[in-house]
Amino acid sequence: MEDLLEIGGKKIACRLFVGTGKYAGNAQMREALLAAEADVVTVALRRVDSGAKAENILDYIPPSCTVMINTSGARNAEEAIRIARLAKAAGAGNWIKIEVIADSKYLLPDNLETLKATETLVKEGFVVFPYMSPDLSMARRLADCGAAAVMPLGSPIGTNRGVRTRELVEILIREIQVPIIVDAGLGKPSDACLCMEMGCSAVMVNTAIAVSPNPVDLARAFSLAVKAGRLAYRSGMPERAVEARASSPLTGFLRETDDEKVRP
Amino acid sequence: MEDLLEIGGKKIACRLFVGTGKYAGNAQMREALLAAEADVVTVALRRVDSGAKAENILDYIPPSCTVMINTSGARNAEEAIRIARLAKAAGAGNWIKIEVIADSKYLLPDNLETLKATETLVKEGFVVFPYMSPDLSMARRLADCGAAAVMPLGSPIGTNRGVRTRELVEILIREIQVPIIVDAGLGKPSDACLCMEMGCSAVMVNTAIAVSPNPVDLARAFSLAVKAGRLAYRSGMPERAVEARASSPLTGFLRETDDEKVRP
Amino acid sequence: MEDLLEIGGKKIACRLFVGTGKYAGNAQMREALLAAEADVVTVALRRVDSGAKAENILDYIPPSCTVMINTSGARNAEEAIRIARLAKAAGAGNWIKIEVIADSKYLLPDNLETLKATETLVKEGFVVFPYMSPDLSMARRLADCGAAAVMPLGSPIGTNRGVRTRELVEILIREIQVPIIVDAGLGKPSDACLCMEMGCSAVMVNTAIAVSPNPVDLARAFSLAVKAGRLAYRSGMPERAVEARASSPLTGFLRETDDEKVRP
Amino acid sequence: MEDLLEIGGKKIACRLFVGTGKYAGNAQMREALLAAEADVVTVALRRVDSGAKAENILDYIPPSCTVMINTSGARNAEEAIRIARLAKAAGAGNWIKIEVIADSKYLLPDNLETLKATETLVKEGFVVFPYMSPDLSMARRLADCGAAAVMPLGSPIGTNRGVRTRELVEILIREIQVPIIVDAGLGKPSDACLCMEMGCSAVMVNTAIAVSPNPVDLARAFSLAVKAGRLAYRSGMPERAVEARASSPLTGFLRETDDEKVRP
């Protein structure tokens, strides 16, 4: 039984979404996409809309991939909407990843402007993937207004710090009905594996692969880790225990202790 | 270029070592070993030395696997040594995993008795894999006296709590020249992936797979995760950053702060 | 030199804000407030506005405390605003903690409705303390519209899970100019101590104290821990190191490794 | 009811043990000891046994303090024993902290040589405090042969990395009958507070205080944090929850999931 992700009207096998920024060159990027067996690839419109440029990045993306244009560079909803419309007009399809970033230091998303852009673009027929700071109330609004998925950050873009927002992301996984895709901050394959074990539907990775010493090998490693995590999530994992044998349950350190148990 | 682990005179492709306890049955165990593509499998001698028993567990282990007899049940060096000799006499080979456990609640190893058993068995020609509580001074003695690897615990046997001893295991990885194989406590594929990223040469997993809802699928997931982690370790991973862009480095929270920076 | 927190036009010595819910009784609550040496105390309006009730909770709050009415029970901005106005009319002052909660399972705040209520109440002259899900873009809006502080959650209300949102809270501390006060989820004095070391201006604790076996002693423990953390933040703490002596820096596990360094 | 630590035949009020190395000068050190309200202070014999030196460090230690000579510099049991005997002969008392360190990079203790020194010195009437790498089997031997306490490391000496060995230290706290005193690696007051909440009988801090920007203030902060943690341990703390209200318990992410629950 194949385990496909149904999203935006497509059925997707590879749950590792990959970005295209920061590679040493387009040829290397292409090799990495192939090594990842990527089905979904994000591209910033400014890198596509190249006009006279000799080289178009889209020529290096394998034809089997679905391109998701991102609105990188947008500082508010209006700019994001404009980028989305330009992308569609340029023939780049209607899958849009909304990135509205007003903070130049941490590149954190602006949830409120992201919501506005999502509302508008969904109505215009786009398949919208909003990148957001994990927050249940905003994720619910994004899902309610028709986002195809919700993409909370694990840690700030490009930091490779892993899933530092786990507490909040796990709540999204439990409460939001559209797919949850952790985007940003994953630095190691084990980070991606953990996200999938938690129940994310997919993860997105760019910097960690692109700036590593061997992007092609690391792309393959991330892809294997995502498969491992998804398979583990589906098969079920064992529970954790405190003792090796549960013959005499411990008094956990956070529980009430009586006088006899208080140590010297 | 193939990435083989040279250990005990063999070259091994699969860095996921697998145990054979706690499965619902031998057929299921065999399926899990195959799904893991395991090359090294541990078996407790008491489960082999079955004499008249109708079913011998060794018959269910794929012939491509190297069997490593463990001394489970031994409470001191003497008992471990006796088990090792019985195993060799019974034709179970000379790969011995030493488990000397005097603690019945956490099943923690006794490092001193483990060292004594290792010294003796190495001299008798065994390939010795001591299971230990991570400690640099004892790991160095184990390596110095000829252990084929050192197997520190991640957390107590059967708890599925992951690599809670990371601080100490990372030091072993840096300082000890024989392979470091984390054994015990790994509960999720991401735990195993992380160990390999840290630089472990292999990991051993038993409980997490055997008691899970779908041991065969989870064995496959662990195997993929180990490959992912090893590949990432070899290819190199990117560094972590604090900010998304390092344009203006932050004063980290642990650094000296001057008066102007002290917040209200 | 005394270290006072200037906030809402007052100067406050105790950076442990305390709630009044879930105590066994009003007398116990009063003892806990005294043990904490609390200067700021939150009370839900519904517990004040008791009309004919024999016992008024306000009678049990030491007169030296500033009462901050919270809008517990509000599901949107409108309800929060109404509660704030009722509180002022009832003579409960103009310090308002805004809690707008639409999620009944995790009791997570609704950032957007919280922002709306803050905008309105600031204009009406209230000193507004919004409880929020940590998110830089919304925290900036709250500060810009005049909130006296921003109160991000550490983990969901009443869970005692500690500062699970540390990654996001540390960014607020660095970027937002009004005081950051972690509210909700702190379960142990060490959690509160850590928040203060990170640079929070204060913390708020209710459940952990009120439902503990000895609320009075635990209130004192939290108060000491907050003082310890604040003092450490102001005095500065040492940096962390990887090795005991930095004579020969290690290759960290996340750094590039060359072939010679790759382990067996 | 006073909460005193009975140890080595004394009753001690302050559970923050303090070291004397790395200070800018003896006067500063003295101020820090007073700020910590320290009752137990460790001093390396080589710094005492100064002969013709103009200044003796012992002159700067408040007379109310018990001095615990440490065997810093010893590389094996024999050297540690010799230092202990010299200390006693020099009138420095019979409280000895055994530090046997063979590793020059991480300054990790040698558990086996530490055990040998402990056995000998206990027989000679010393009150022995062995510094060790946390390991249940060795801690049990140390306690069985008469150590006054067991002092596991939190992380390597001088790293300020906190309690990275928590998994193993918590087991010692549960299983070993003599006091457990975490020594080495604590970098922030919240680290010390957490150790006390876990049930440690005391903690030892040196580097974090001595190399900080304001040792005197940080000593006071550590002292408050230790009091907070101890008081919390004695009073009992609340349990942690996953949800804010336990109305409908979640399926934790590590539990078996059935088909309906598997997310897209």
Side-chain angles (χ1 to χ4, degrees):
Chain A
M1 186 193 63
E2 214 172 359
D3 171 36
L4 299 176
L5 171 61
E6 291 195 44
I7 195 165
K10 305 204 177 192
K11 293 188 180 182
I12 286 165
C14 179
R15 289 163 185 271
L16 172 62
F17 292 11
V18 186
T20 54
K22 304 186 188 174
Y23 283 93
N26 284 340
Q28 185 194 58
M29 179 202 78
R30 179 185 169 83
E31 287 302 306
L33 299 185
L34 290 170
E37 302 177 34
D39 285 328
V40 178
V41 174
T42 63
V43 184
L45 181 64
R46 50 183 171 184
R47 302 186 60 220
V48 174
D49 191 28
S50 54
K53 269 193 188 166
E55 213 177 68
N56 188 332
I57 190 173
L58 294 181
D59 296 340
Y60 288 82
I61 295 176
S64 63
C65 293
T66 296
V67 170
M68 179 195 284
I69 295 292
N70 71 56
T71 67
S72 173
R75 287 159 302 170
N76 53 44
E78 196 185 347
E79 293 179 5
I81 292 166
R82 193 183 326 135
I83 292 171
R85 289 171 182 162
L86 284 170
K88 194 192 261 179
N94 69 343
W95 280 38
I96 289 287
K97 180 181 164 207
I98 300 187
E99 284 185 31
V100 178
I101 289 171
D103 155 56
S104 61
K105 196 191 281 177
Y106 299 98
L107 303 181
L108 291 173
D110 184 326
N111 281 358
L112 186 49
E113 293 293 310
T114 299
L115 175 61
K116 289 179 194 167
T118 300
E119 286 170 338
T120 297
L121 292 171
V122 165
K123 285 180 192 153
E124 297 186 8
F126 286 89
V127 179
V128 183
F129 297 82
Y131 169 58
M132 76 172 310
S133 184
D135 166 41
L136 179 57
S137 65
M138 293 304 269
R140 191 165 277 145
R141 285 187 176 90
L142 290 165
D144 287 350
C145 82
V150 168
M151 303 183 77
L153 62 93
S155 49
I157 291 179
T159 59
N160 301 317
R161 290 161 68 81
V163 205
R164 304 266 175 143
T165 56
R166 178 171 173 176
E167 184 81 5
L168 299 172
V169 170
E170 289 195 320
I171 292 173
L172 298 192
I173 290 169
R174 289 167 181 146
E175 297 297 311
I176 301 296
Q177 299 308 312
V178 301
I180 304 299
I181 302 173
V182 168
D183 175 22
L186 304 184
K188 309 188 300 294
S190 58
D191 296 334
C193 188
L194 175 61
C195 286
M196 300 307 295
E197 290 167 352
M198 285 161 54
C200 290
S201 297
V203 296
M204 160 95 57
V205 179
N206 184 359
T207 304
I209 294 172
V211 309
S212 76
N214 296 292
V216 178
D217 281 353
L218 201 55
R220 188 174 293 117
F222 266 99
S223 191
L224 288 168
V226 166
K227 281 180 189 147
R230 175 67 185 176
L231 185 53
Y233 172 72
R234 280 169 59 86
S235 72
M237 281 166 284
E239 294 200 33
R240 284 181 294 182
V242 173
E243 294 186 29
R245 288 283 180 275
S247 51
S248 57
L250 287 180
T251 299
F253 106 81
L254 283 172
R255 299 177 190 234
E256 182 176 350
T257 54
D258 54 31
D259 277 356
E260 281 70 41
K261 280 179 196 148
V262 171
R263 290 180 52 83
Chain B
M1 185 192 64
E2 212 173 2
D3 171 36
L4 299 176
L5 171 61
E6 291 194 45
I7 195 166
K10 305 205 177 193
K11 293 188 180 183
I12 286 165
C14 179
R15 289 163 185 271
L16 172 62
F17 293 10
V18 187
T20 53
K22 304 184 188 174
Y23 283 93
N26 284 339
Q28 185 194 58
M29 179 203 78
R30 179 184 170 84
E31 287 302 305
L33 299 186
L34 290 169
E37 303 178 33
D39 284 327
V40 179
V41 174
T42 61
V43 184
L45 182 64
R46 50 182 172 185
R47 302 187 59 222
V48 174
D49 190 29
S50 53
K53 268 194 189 166
E55 213 176 68
N56 188 331
I57 190 172
L58 294 181
D59 296 340
Y60 288 82
I61 295 176
S64 63
C65 293
T66 296
V67 170
M68 181 195 281
I69 294 294
N70 70 57
T71 66
S72 173
R75 287 160 301 171
N76 53 44
E78 194 184 350
E79 292 179 7
I81 292 165
R82 193 184 325 134
I83 292 171
R85 290 172 181 160
L86 284 171
K88 193 191 260 178
N94 69 341
W95 279 38
I96 288 287
K97 181 181 162 205
I98 301 187
E99 284 185 32
V100 178
I101 290 171
D103 155 56
S104 60
K105 196 191 281 177
Y106 299 98
L107 304 181
L108 292 172
D110 185 326
N111 280 357
L112 186 50
E113 292 294 310
T114 298
L115 175 62
K116 289 180 194 166
T118 300
E119 287 171 337
T120 297
L121 292 171
V122 166
K123 285 182 192 153
E124 296 186 8
F126 286 89
V127 179
V128 182
F129 297 82
Y131 168 60
M132 75 172 311
S133 185
D135 167 41
L136 178 58
S137 65
M138 292 305 268
R140 191 165 277 147
R141 286 189 176 88
L142 289 165
D144 287 349
C145 82
V150 168
M151 303 183 78
L153 61 93
S155 49
I157 291 179
T159 59
N160 301 317
R161 290 160 69 82
V163 205
R164 305 265 175 144
T165 55
R166 179 171 171 176
E167 184 80 6
L168 299 172
V169 170
E170 288 195 320
I171 292 173
L172 298 192
I173 290 170
R174 289 168 180 146
E175 298 296 310
I176 301 296
Q177 300 308 313
V178 301
I180 305 299
I181 302 173
V182 168
D183 175 22
L186 305 184
K188 309 189 300 297
S190 58
D191 296 333
C193 189
L194 176 60
C195 286
M196 299 308 294
E197 291 167 351
M198 285 161 52
C200 290
S201 298
V203 295
M204 160 94 56
V205 179
N206 184 358
T207 304
I209 294 173
V211 309
S212 76
N214 295 293
V216 177
D217 281 352
L218 201 56
R220 188 175 293 118
F222 266 99
S223 191
L224 288 168
V226 166
K227 281 178 189 147
R230 175 66 184 176
L231 185 54
Y233 173 72
R234 280 170 58 85
S235 72
M237 282 167 285
E239 294 199 33
R240 284 182 291 183
V242 173
E243 295 185 30
R245 289 285 180 274
S247 52
S248 57
L250 287 180
T251 300
F253 107 79
L254 284 172
R255 302 183 186 228
E256 182 176 350
T257 54
D258 55 32
D259 277 354
E260 281 71 41
K261 281 178 195 148
V262 170
R263 289 180 52 84
Chain C
M1 187 192 63
E2 213 174 359
D3 171 35
L4 299 175
L5 171 61
E6 290 195 45
I7 195 167
K10 305 205 176 193
K11 293 188 181 184
I12 285 165
C14 180
R15 289 162 186 271
L16 172 62
F17 293 10
V18 186
T20 54
K22 305 185 187 173
Y23 284 92
N26 284 339
Q28 185 194 58
M29 179 202 79
R30 179 184 170 82
E31 288 302 305
L33 298 186
L34 291 169
E37 302 177 33
D39 285 326
V40 178
V41 173
T42 62
V43 184
L45 181 64
R46 51 182 170 185
R47 302 186 60 221
V48 174
D49 191 27
S50 54
K53 267 191 189 169
E55 213 177 69
N56 188 333
I57 189 172
L58 294 181
D59 297 339
Y60 287 84
I61 295 176
S64 63
C65 293
T66 296
V67 170
M68 180 195 282
I69 296 292
N70 71 56
T71 67
S72 173
R75 287 160 302 171
N76 53 45
E78 196 185 346
E79 292 179 6
I81 292 165
R82 193 183 324 135
I83 292 171
R85 291 171 181 161
L86 285 171
K88 193 192 262 178
N94 68 343
W95 280 38
I96 288 287
K97 180 182 163 203
I98 301 187
E99 284 185 33
V100 179
I101 289 171
D103 155 56
S104 60
K105 196 191 279 177
Y106 299 98
L107 304 181
L108 292 173
D110 185 326
N111 281 358
L112 187 49
E113 292 293 310
T114 299
L115 175 62
K116 288 180 194 168
T118 300
E119 287 170 338
T120 296
L121 292 171
V122 167
K123 284 179 192 154
E124 297 186 7
F126 286 90
V127 179
V128 184
F129 296 82
Y131 169 59
M132 75 172 311
S133 185
D135 166 41
L136 179 58
S137 65
M138 293 305 268
R140 191 165 276 147
R141 285 187 176 89
L142 289 165
D144 287 349
C145 81
V150 168
M151 303 183 78
L153 61 93
S155 49
I157 292 178
T159 59
N160 301 316
R161 290 161 68 82
V163 206
R164 304 267 175 142
T165 56
R166 179 172 172 175
E167 183 81 5
L168 299 171
V169 170
E170 288 194 320
I171 292 173
L172 298 193
I173 290 169
R174 289 168 181 147
E175 298 296 310
I176 301 296
Q177 299 309 312
V178 300
I180 305 299
I181 302 173
V182 168
D183 175 22
L186 304 184
K188 308 189 301 296
S190 57
D191 296 333
C193 189
L194 176 61
C195 285
M196 299 308 295
E197 290 167 351
M198 286 161 53
C200 289
S201 297
V203 296
M204 161 94 56
V205 178
N206 184 359
T207 304
I209 294 172
V211 309
S212 76
N214 295 293
V216 178
D217 281 352
L218 201 55
R220 188 174 293 117
F222 266 100
S223 192
L224 288 168
V226 166
K227 281 178 190 146
R230 175 67 184 175
L231 185 53
Y233 172 72
R234 279 170 59 85
S235 72
M237 282 166 284
E239 295 201 31
R240 284 181 292 183
V242 174
E243 295 185 29
R245 289 284 180 274
S247 52
S248 57
L250 286 179
T251 300
F253 106 80
L254 284 171
R255 299 178 189 232
E256 183 176 349
T257 53
D258 55 31
D259 277 355
E260 281 72 39
K261 282 178 196 147
V262 170
R263 290 181 52 84
Chain D
M1 186 192 66
E2 214 173 357
D3 171 35
L4 299 175
L5 171 61
E6 291 195 44
I7 194 166
K10 304 204 177 192
K11 294 188 179 182
I12 286 165
C14 180
R15 291 163 184 270
L16 173 62
F17 293 11
V18 186
T20 54
K22 304 186 188 173
Y23 283 92
N26 283 339
Q28 185 194 58
M29 179 201 79
R30 179 185 170 82
E31 288 302 305
L33 299 186
L34 290 170
E37 301 177 34
D39 285 327
V40 177
V41 174
T42 62
V43 184
L45 182 64
R46 50 183 172 184
R47 302 185 60 221
V48 174
D49 191 27
S50 53
K53 268 192 190 168
E55 214 177 67
N56 187 333
I57 190 172
L58 294 182
D59 296 340
Y60 288 83
I61 295 176
S64 63
C65 293
T66 296
V67 170
M68 181 195 282
I69 295 294
N70 70 57
T71 66
S72 173
R75 287 160 301 171
N76 53 45
E78 196 185 347
E79 293 179 5
I81 292 165
R82 193 183 326 134
I83 292 172
R85 289 171 181 162
L86 284 170
K88 193 191 260 178
N94 68 342
W95 280 39
I96 289 287
K97 180 181 163 205
I98 300 186
E99 284 185 31
V100 178
I101 289 172
D103 155 56
S104 61
K105 196 191 280 177
Y106 299 98
L107 303 181
L108 291 173
D110 185 325
N111 280 357
L112 187 49
E113 292 294 309
T114 299
L115 175 62
K116 289 179 194 167
T118 301
E119 287 170 337
T120 297
L121 292 171
V122 166
K123 284 180 192 154
E124 297 186 8
F126 285 89
V127 179
V128 183
F129 296 82
Y131 169 59
M132 76 172 310
S133 184
D135 167 40
L136 179 57
S137 65
M138 293 305 269
R140 192 166 276 146
R141 284 187 177 90
L142 289 165
D144 287 350
C145 81
V150 168
M151 302 183 78
L153 61 94
S155 48
I157 290 178
T159 59
N160 302 316
R161 291 160 67 82
V163 205
R164 304 266 174 144
T165 55
R166 179 172 172 174
E167 184 81 6
L168 299 171
V169 171
E170 288 195 320
I171 292 173
L172 298 192
I173 290 169
R174 289 168 180 145
E175 298 297 311
I176 300 296
Q177 298 310 310
V178 300
I180 304 299
I181 302 173
V182 167
D183 175 22
L186 304 185
K188 307 189 302 295
S190 58
D191 297 334
C193 189
L194 176 60
C195 286
M196 300 307 295
E197 290 167 352
M198 286 160 54
C200 290
S201 298
V203 296
M204 161 94 58
V205 178
N206 184 0
T207 304
I209 293 173
V211 308
S212 77
N214 296 292
V216 177
D217 281 352
L218 201 56
R220 188 174 294 117
F222 267 100
S223 191
L224 287 167
V226 166
K227 280 179 190 146
R230 176 65 185 177
L231 185 54
Y233 172 73
R234 279 169 58 85
S235 73
M237 281 167 285
E239 295 200 32
R240 284 182 292 184
V242 173
E243 295 185 29
R245 289 284 180 274
S247 51
S248 56
L250 287 179
T251 299
F253 105 81
L254 284 171
R255 300 178 189 232
E256 181 175 352
T257 53
D258 55 30
D259 276 356
E260 281 71 39
K261 282 179 197 146
V262 170
R263 290 181 51 83

